[in-house]
Amino acid sequence: MQILGNFLLTAKGDELSVTASDLEVEVSIACRAEIAREGSATLPAKKLLDICRSLPPDSMLQIDVSGGKGKVQSGRSRFSLGVLPSEDFPTVEGFNTVTKLEADANVLSDLISSTQFAMAHQDVRYYLNGLLLELSSSTIRAVATDGHRLALCDRDLATGLTNPVQVIVPRKAVQEIQRMLGHHEGLVTVVLGENHISVQIAGQLLIAKLVDGKFPDYQRVIPKQGEKMVIANREAIKAAFSRTSILSNEKFRGVRLVLSRDLLKAMTNNPEQEEAEEDIEVEYEGADLEIGFNVSYLLDVLSVLKSPFVRIELSDANSSAVIYAMDDERAKYVIMPMRL
């Protein structure tokens, strides 16, 4: 649809709103403006953006749409752009509200950043290509999995719900919501509908279609507390994994971990017969264990955790590992082992 390459500009009162859509995600941003004539029109998005970028930052922009042309003027610069009928622009006209709530932008941003990295990307199991939001009366939970790892994070939020609500927010919408939240503080209004989610903050509104599917029973893949527990300095273990990953197989990214009393040995190799090995001091008193993981998955988790120390729970070489922050168990990460 050619019109999806355009912005919808709507002038009303003393405000100009700019809307973009790709039929899955719709974003609107409003700004103050001097409106001489109310109305709406669509202008080519990339060309208008390039014009704005090419002008000095404090330039005033004058836009006039008439006679089938959009005239853009700033100082001595004048541009004439093609327009398409605004009534052809596909906007979400509203949806049935199931739940409406307000949350702190930092809390919501933290929830997303703690889990979004584990979302699947273009998986045939389409319901994994998004983030599960699960709301109860007092908490909001985010869960993401690609079938090889799982990220789960809980945050306190008084929702007033009597029955739990689950929705799957598509990957693209999650990334756009996180981008919005990264620029603002304060309260965010979140509205959940039967098929849509909307997020509004500081003059910005995002509306996205929800994924129509059932998220798997993630509780089944979270192991019960393992009898082997490793406590490690997060920065130290992250740096060691980063160094050993340099010589890992670029396709499989495997790292072999050998645990003995108070020592974790990380080893990698690749088809060029190159090897890396590093000893890491840890707190561990269990039996010796050898297990393999995708080192990228381990580094992803260690990058989102912020605590000085992490706890890793293990059972055996064929069971998943669970990683927590030492001072906050509201976020947990499950990583499946791999054969090396």
Side-chain angles (χ1 to χ4, degrees):
M1 294 175 65
Q2 183 184 357
I3 200 163
L4 294 179
N6 283 21
F7 286 136
L8 172 65
L9 305 181
T10 304
K12 188 174 182 180
D14 61 353
E15 213 171 60
L16 174 70
S17 70
V18 182
T19 303
S21 172
D22 65 359
L23 296 182
E24 291 182 15
V25 179
E26 178 183 307
V27 178
S28 298
I29 298 179
C31 64
R32 296 294 294 271
E34 293 181 14
I35 308 298
R37 186 173 68 252
E38 293 187 350
S40 60
T42 75
L43 295 175
K46 185 178 186 308
K47 293 172 183 174
L48 185 58
L49 182 60
D50 287 344
I51 289 170
C52 292
R53 282 176 171 164
S54 68
L55 295 168
D58 58 350
S59 298
M60 295 297 292
L61 211 61
Q62 183 177 332
I63 302 173
D64 180 40
V65 179
S66 59
K69 288 289 183 181
K71 299 177 178 66
V72 181
Q73 184 173 337
S74 180
R76 297 183 178 182
S77 302
R78 291 176 293 276
F79 307 89
S80 180
L81 301 175
V83 299
L84 291 172
S86 58
E87 56 268 21
D88 292 345
F89 193 89
T91 57
V92 179
E93 295 298 333
F95 51 87
N96 294 327
T97 299
V98 175
T99 303
K100 182 176 181 180
L101 55 99
E102 287 190 334
D104 184 273
N106 292 327
V107 171
L108 204 55
S109 178
D110 182 46
L111 195 72
I112 294 173
S113 62
S114 297
T115 53
Q116 67 170 343
F117 67 89
M119 292 186 296
H121 185 59
Q122 294 183 336
D123 197 297
V124 292
R125 297 165 294 181
Y126 62 94
Y127 45 82
L128 298 184
N129 300 319
L131 187 72
L132 175 71
L133 289 182
E134 189 174 80
L135 291 88
S136 66
S137 60
S138 58
T139 61
I140 179 170
R141 169 176 290 178
V143 184
T145 180
D146 60 7
H148 304 286
R149 55 181 172 171
L150 180 143
L152 179 152
C153 186
D154 288 339
R155 289 293 180 262
D156 295 332
L157 181 66
T159 65
L161 291 170
T162 53
N163 297 314
V165 173
Q166 278 192 349
V167 297
I168 305 174
V169 185
R171 180 188 185 89
K172 183 188 294 184
V174 171
Q175 293 170 336
E176 291 299 327
I177 291 169
Q178 183 68 337
R179 188 175 291 126
M180 283 173 61
L181 297 174
H183 294 95
H184 297 282
E185 293 187 352
L187 290 178
V188 186
T189 301
V190 180
V191 179
L192 300 177
E194 295 174 354
N195 303 304
H196 292 83
I197 180 174
S198 79
V199 178
Q200 186 168 8
I201 181 173
Q204 297 189 45
L205 173 66
L206 177 143
I207 302 175
K209 288 183 178 179
L210 295 171
V211 176
D212 183 16
K214 184 171 176 58
F215 204 79
D217 183 4
Y218 60 87
Q219 297 282 10
R220 293 177 56 188
V221 303
I222 300 175
K224 296 180 180 178
Q225 185 171 352
E227 61 270 17
K228 298 177 174 65
M229 185 181 300
V230 180
I231 297 174
N233 180 287
R234 185 182 64 85
E235 286 293 346
I237 198 172
K238 179 185 172 186
F241 288 161
S242 295
R243 287 190 289 270
T244 53
S245 71
I246 295 169
L247 297 185
S248 65
N249 185 306
E250 291 184 4
K251 183 176 181 181
F252 300 108
R253 303 285 286 165
V255 60
R256 188 187 308 277
L257 302 182
V258 180
L259 267 171
S260 57
R261 184 178 178 86
D262 291 338
L263 182 67
L264 174 63
K265 191 184 295 287
M267 298 176 287
T268 59
N269 56 56
N270 59 35
E272 287 78 41
Q273 306 301 314
E274 297 168 328
E275 298 179 348
E277 182 176 315
E278 182 143 357
D279 292 343
I280 311 158
E281 289 185 7
V282 296
E283 293 182 30
Y284 177 68
E285 297 180 352
D288 291 359
L289 176 67
E290 186 172 323
I291 189 169
F293 290 106
N294 183 316
V295 69
S296 296
Y297 294 170
L298 294 171
L299 288 171
D300 283 344
V301 172
L302 294 170
S303 295
V304 298
L305 289 173
K306 299 295 186 287
S307 65
F309 291 90
V310 295
R311 187 172 89 233
I312 305 172
E313 293 179 1
L314 300 157
S315 294
D316 53 56
N318 300 312
S319 300
S320 299
V322 185
I323 305 176
Y324 303 86
M326 278 295 292
D327 56 358
D328 187 1
E329 294 190 4
R330 294 179 299 173
K332 63 179 69 175
Y333 302 92
V334 181
I335 302 177
M336 290 179 63
M338 63 185 298
R339 295 183 183 275
L340 295 175

